[in-house]
C-alpha cells in the first residue's frame, strides 16, 4: 500500500509521515524530493527547471523507484510530497494504480494564515525557502479544492499523532498506542524536521 500525503508546503506532511512511520509496523518513508535534489546536482543547467517537478525525468524516476519498492517490499510505503499538477499526479500515482498498487491519497488542509505561520517556524530564517513556499501557497490551495479523489483531513489545532491515526484508520490500518511522553514526541518531531532541512 502507498500512503501518499499531499498538501501545501507547510501543511505538516513530513511531520505526519514521521508519526506514521514511527508507529505503523513495517512502514517506510520515501521522499520524492531527494530525486529532485539529485537531478539538480547531477545535470547541466540547460536540463534543469526552477521547480524540479517540471522535469519529466523527475516524474519518471520517482514512479519507477516507487514501483520497484512496491514489488519488493511488503510494508506500507509513506510518501509525503506536494503534487498539484493533475498531469504530474497522473504520470506518477495514476501509473502506479494502473500497475496494480493500492494507492491512498490524503490532502492535509489548513487555512492560509496557519500555513504561513508554520512556514515561518519551519524555515528558520531561510527566506528563499519561505518565499518559494509562499508563492506556491495560493496555487496549492486552489488546486486541492478541485481534487475530489482524495481524503481531505483538516489539520488546524490537531496533534500530528491524531492526524496519523485518522490516516491509518482510513487505510484500514491500526496504529499501536503512542506510549511516548510529551517531550519524547517533541524530540522525535524535531529530529524529523532537522532531517528534512535542505541547503540547496
Amino acid at each position: 500500500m502507498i500512503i501518499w500525503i499531499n498538501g501545501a508546503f507547510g501543511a505538516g506532511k513530513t511531520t505526519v509521515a514521521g508519526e506514521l512511520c514511527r508507529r505503523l509496523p513495517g512502514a517506510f518513508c520515501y521522499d520524492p524530493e531527494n530525486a529532485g535534489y539529485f537531478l539538480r546536482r547531477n545535470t547541466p543547467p540547460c536540463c534543469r527547471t526552477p521547480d524540479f517537478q517540471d522535469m519529466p525525468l523527475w516524474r519518471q524516476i520517482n514512479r519507477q523507484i516507487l514501483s520497484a519498492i512496491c514489488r519488493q517490499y511488503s510494508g506500507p510505503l509513506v510518501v509525503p510530497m506536494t503534487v498539484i499538477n493533475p498531469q504530474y499526479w497522473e504520470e506518477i500515482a495514476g501509473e502506479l494504480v494502473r500497475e496494480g498498487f493500492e494507492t491512498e491519497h490524503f490532502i492535509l488542509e489548513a487555512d492560509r494564515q496557519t500555513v504561513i505561520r508554520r512556514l515561518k517556524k519551519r524555515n528558520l530564517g531561510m527566506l528563499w525557502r519561505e518565499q518559494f513556499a509562499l508563492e506556491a501557497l495560493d496555487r496549492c490551495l486552489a488546486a486541492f479544492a478541485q481534487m475530489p479523489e482524495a481524503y481531505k483531513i483538516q489539520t488546524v489545532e490537531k496533534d500530528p499523532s491524531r492526524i496519523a491515526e485518522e490516516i491509518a484508520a482510513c487505510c484500514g490500518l491500526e496504529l499501536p498506542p503512542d506510549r511516548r511522553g510529551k517531550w519524547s514526541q517533541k524530540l522525535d518531531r524535531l529530529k524529523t524536521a532537522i532531517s528534512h532541512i535542505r541547503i540547496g
Side-chain angles (χ1 to χ4, degrees):
M1 176 187 292
I2 298 172
I3 303 173
W4 195 298
I5 304 177
N6 208 338
F9 303 99
K13 300 181 300 297
T14 302
T15 302
V16 171
E19 289 293 310
L20 269 173
C21 288
R22 268 187 290 271
R23 296 179 58 194
L24 188 58
F28 178 81
C29 186
Y30 173 78
D31 187 353
E33 274 196 349
N34 289 328
Y37 288 102
F38 174 84
L39 290 173
R40 280 185 180 169
R41 295 187 181 105
N42 293 277
T43 56
C46 63
C47 297
R48 304 172 199 160
T49 57
D51 183 345
F52 49 63
Q53 291 196 19
D54 294 328
M55 300 173 69
L57 188 55
W58 179 85
R59 305 191 297 274
Q60 294 166 14
I61 285 174
N62 279 303
R63 182 189 60 76
Q64 291 173 357
I65 291 175
L66 286 164
S67 176
I69 293 174
C70 286
R71 291 181 188 283
Q72 300 176 59
Y73 189 69
S74 60
L77 190 58
V78 181
V79 184
M81 187 70 210
T82 300
V83 178
I84 62 173
N85 185 308
Q87 176 188 333
Y88 298 174
W89 175 257
E90 191 61 23
E91 288 180 29
I92 304 172
E95 283 297 321
L96 291 167
V97 170
R98 282 187 283 276
E99 285 187 60
F101 303 122
E102 182 181 0
T103 303
E104 301 291 353
H105 182 201
F106 296 88
I107 297 174
L108 303 188
E109 294 187 319
D111 60 81
R112 198 174 192 280
Q113 291 306 314
T114 297
V115 172
I116 291 173
R117 185 174 67 252
R118 291 174 180 171
L119 285 171
K120 290 182 180 297
K121 182 179 179 181
R122 184 189 76 176
N123 288 321
L124 303 173
M126 290 185 284
L127 297 180
W128 63 273
R129 284 183 59 84
E130 185 176 313
Q131 187 61 34
F132 174 84
L134 289 174
E135 289 174 357
L137 177 55
D138 289 330
R139 287 189 290 113
C140 287
L141 296 178
F144 294 141
Q146 304 300 316
M147 280 189 172
E149 295 181 3
Y151 296 96
K152 296 183 179 180
I153 297 181
Q154 183 56 245
T155 65
V156 178
E157 297 184 357
K158 249 186 213 179
D159 186 83
S161 290
R162 182 179 166 193
I163 298 169
E165 288 165 1
E166 285 188 38
I167 290 174
C170 287
C171 295
L173 303 170
E174 185 175 348
L175 297 185
D178 188 355
R179 303 192 186 283
R180 295 171 298 166
K182 180 179 179 181
W183 290 107
S184 293
Q185 289 181 348
K186 287 187 175 182
L187 182 59
D188 283 340
R189 290 166 193 169
L190 179 60
K191 289 177 182 176
T192 298
I194 290 172
S195 70
H196 198 64
I197 291 175
R198 305 284 193 258
I199 302 301

